[in-house]
Amino acid sequence: MAANAGRSAAQPGGFAVWRVRAVAYGLLLGFAVLAGRGVYLQIVQHDDLTRRGDARTTRDLVVPAHRGRLLDREGAVLASSVPARGVFAFPDQVELTAAQRDGLAKALNLKGKDLESKLNSDRDLVFLARGITPEQGQAVSALKIPGVAVQSEFKREYPAQEVMGQVLGITNVDDVGQEGIELAQNEWLSGKAGARRVTIDRRGGVVEELASVRSPQQGRDLQLALDSRVQHLTFRELKRGIEAHRAKGGAAVVLDAHSGELLALVNYPTANPGDRSAAATGGLRNRAVADLFEPGSTMKPFTIATAIETGAYEPDALVPMSGSTYTLNGATIRDTHAIGSHGVASLTEIVQKSSNVGTARVAERLPNEVMWKHLQRAGFGRAPQIGVPGEAHGRLRAPQSWRPIEKATMSYGYGLSVNLVQLARAYTVFANQGELVDVTLFRNGGAGRHTRVYSKGTMQAVLPMLEKATAKEGTAPQSQVPGYRVAGKTGTAKKLAGAVYSEGRYVASFVGLAPVSNPRYIVAVMVDEPGTGVYYGGLVAAPIFSSIMGQTLRLMEVPYDAPLPGGPAVVDAQVAIVREGN
């Protein structure tokens, strides 16, 4: 009985010990699991958890680099980057009232549905606006909308606007070049953006600056050869001429004859580079270098120069003529001005009266390879490489494929193509005693490369012929400039429509230099499809040339080399008007 009682007492005590041990083991196991979990989270998943945490509270914000300025040859600012603001949002954090929504849309000039579309994005970060004014940025900040923040950035401004549109080009919202010089020289101008790491609160505001990830490298300024004054006057005169003749468009170039620097490069119609939609519609296309046309009679001086250079004709030689028409391989070549009344014509008459027949007869004596070589050395068929995108090479076919009629038409400007800058460059041979000068949009200190194409003797014979072409008896008396001797050549070419030439659609052109006694500038003008019924280069393009060349010479105070109609007082008054207008 006593034994039974002892066993009954021992059983409860044993059970209690077992329970204590079970609880202890359970606690130990729990602590082990927690410790293991802690180790797992702290070591195994440390990087992943840190990344997730940083994704919620840490952001790398761009620190924009200041883009370099574009300057003209005198240091005037053509393009610069000014302070602006960008507004971005973290869609999953945005909380806004109806009043805040309306205020945000108003500050950003957005429609309500457009704002909602941006805020409903499934992306971590979206931009609501770029390149807005600092005042707009302040208005957004004042709304204190959770998940919406404002950052500093830059916006490109172009003081000359449409006057410089196609040549300068455009940048995108990130201040990266997209067209023109902005694109071609983007690496030089743009520098490199920096970055800063910050901690943000639930509203998207910056709580703490953690580190500078990368310092911005500022862009560098770039000085161009362009002269703002010459560019403006060229734009004004080209626009006036194109509108007067109701033309489709046109272009004009002013070139320093010795250095090859472009003082003006103008297209019309044009576009404002501040309007980015212009790039998408082709409004910023630089037609002076990108568009090709058949040069017409502006090619004739090169045919005559090649004939003299190779000895096929002496400068005073007479060319046999057959009236105002000439049939070659079944095709008829015609003149608009009758010359050679005695069955012959001088080389000077051929250039002065712009004779297709006479030029074709001269070309007959030139071997294909010889004619091609001189044209190729004068820059035809090769892009001028002035430093902008989209430069066209022009068309100059290999001489082996030329038929006699094709060589004849090429001699007076059909069957090959050029861009306007290319044509202006070719005329540097007449201003530099036979040397071709490389053309550039950037200042070169007067050290443009010269390449010999014709001898000095040949140029001494051809230059007076070009001067006579601008005289009263020539095809371009309206190219004359009071007080200066001018030399140049007209061009009038039908436009191709598919495989045939279109009646009533012409390109009128004129290229010339002045003053003849010491050539300083070359001006080339092209007018596309004059619409008034007057289409000859001497009547359409030559007067524009005269206005541009005359104002440029007076602006640059180039000494006169011809009598002054009306006396010095009249011309001095004209100089004052030119300066006041520029």
Side-chain angles (χ1 to χ4, degrees), residues 61-65 83-88 130 149-154 196:
L61 301 182
V62 173
V63 180
R85 299 292 183 267
V87 178
F88 60 92
R130 302 293 302 276
V150 178
Q151 72 175 17
S152 296
E153 56 187 29
F154 293 101
R196 62 190 178 108

Side-chain angles (χ1 to χ4, degrees), residues 452-469:
R452 174 68 60 187
V453 179
Y454 299 106
S455 67
K456 293 181 180 180
T458 296
M459 293 297 97
Q460 289 171 354
V462 176
L463 189 56
M465 300 179 190
L466 291 173
E467 186 174 9
K468 284 186 176 294

Side-chain angles (χ1 to χ4, degrees), residues 49-306:
L49 293 174
T50 300
R51 179 182 58 79
R52 292 186 186 185
D54 288 346
R56 294 177 179 275
T57 62
T58 305
R59 292 288 186 274
D60 284 348
L61 301 182
V62 173
V63 180
H66 191 279
R67 188 175 179 85
R69 300 174 301 169
L70 289 173
L71 310 173
D72 86 340
R73 65 186 303 108
E74 301 299 330
V77 177
L78 305 179
S80 63
S81 294
V82 297
R85 299 292 183 267
V87 178
F88 60 92
F90 307 104
D92 61 341
Q93 300 177 24
V94 173
E95 300 175 8
L96 71 172
T97 64
Q100 288 175 323
R101 181 185 292 106
D102 294 341
L104 183 59
K106 180 179 179 181
L108 300 180
N109 294 324
L110 287 175
K111 294 181 179 179
K113 62 179 181 179
D114 294 333
L115 177 61
E116 287 290 342
S117 176
K118 290 176 180 287
L119 292 177
N120 290 332
S121 172
D122 57 0
R123 298 171 58 187
D124 291 338
L125 182 148
V126 295
F127 275 98
L128 304 181
R130 302 293 302 276
I132 62 175
T133 65
E135 291 73 21
Q136 286 177 287
Q138 285 181 344
V140 172
S141 296
L143 295 173
K144 297 181 179 180
I145 301 173
V148 175
V150 178
Q151 72 175 17
S152 296
E153 56 187 29
F154 293 101
K155 180 181 179 181
R156 205 67 163 165
E157 285 196 348
Y158 302 89
Q161 298 183 357
E162 62 180 8
V163 175
M164 296 275 188
Q166 286 100 338
V167 62
L168 297 184
I170 196 171
T171 62
N172 63 14
V173 292
D174 293 311
D175 228 12
V176 177
Q178 300 296 296
E179 298 280 353
I181 295 174
E182 295 278 29
L183 172 59
Q185 299 298 319
N186 185 65
E187 185 175 352
W188 177 277
L189 292 166
S190 62
K192 295 182 180 179
R196 62 190 178 108
R197 184 160 298 153
V198 299
T199 299
I200 60 171
D201 60 20
R202 60 184 295 271
R203 295 176 177 271
V206 176
V207 175
E208 181 183 6
E209 184 96 20
L210 297 178
S212 175
V213 178
R214 184 174 59 255
S215 298
Q217 297 180 17
Q218 308 303 338
R220 294 167 288 183
D221 291 348
L222 181 62
Q223 190 166 31
L224 306 179
L226 294 174
D227 187 305
S228 295
R229 301 167 301 170
V230 179
Q231 180 83 5
H232 276 81
L233 72 86
T234 301
F235 179 85
R236 181 181 64 236
E237 299 306 323
L238 178 67
K239 177 182 178 181
R240 183 178 297 165
I242 287 175
E243 291 179 348
H245 290 280
R246 298 201 298 273
K248 182 178 179 180
V253 168
V254 179
L255 180 65
D256 186 299
H258 301 307
S259 70
E261 293 174 321
L262 281 161
L263 303 185
L265 195 161
V266 172
N267 299 272
Y268 191 82
T270 184
N272 184 348
D275 178 9
R276 293 193 174 94
S277 65
T281 59
L284 291 174
R285 180 179 176 83
N286 193 343
R287 295 175 177 83
V289 297
D291 287 4
L292 297 174
F293 61 96
E294 291 187 311
S297 297
T298 57
M299 289 299 298
K300 290 173 182 174
F302 297 95
T303 302
I304 301 301
T306 301

Side-chain angles (χ1 to χ4, degrees), residues 84 160 242 300 373 410 486 526 574:
I242 287 175
K300 290 173 182 174
K373 180 183 72 174
M410 276 193 284
V486 172
M526 180 274 291
Q574 293 174 343

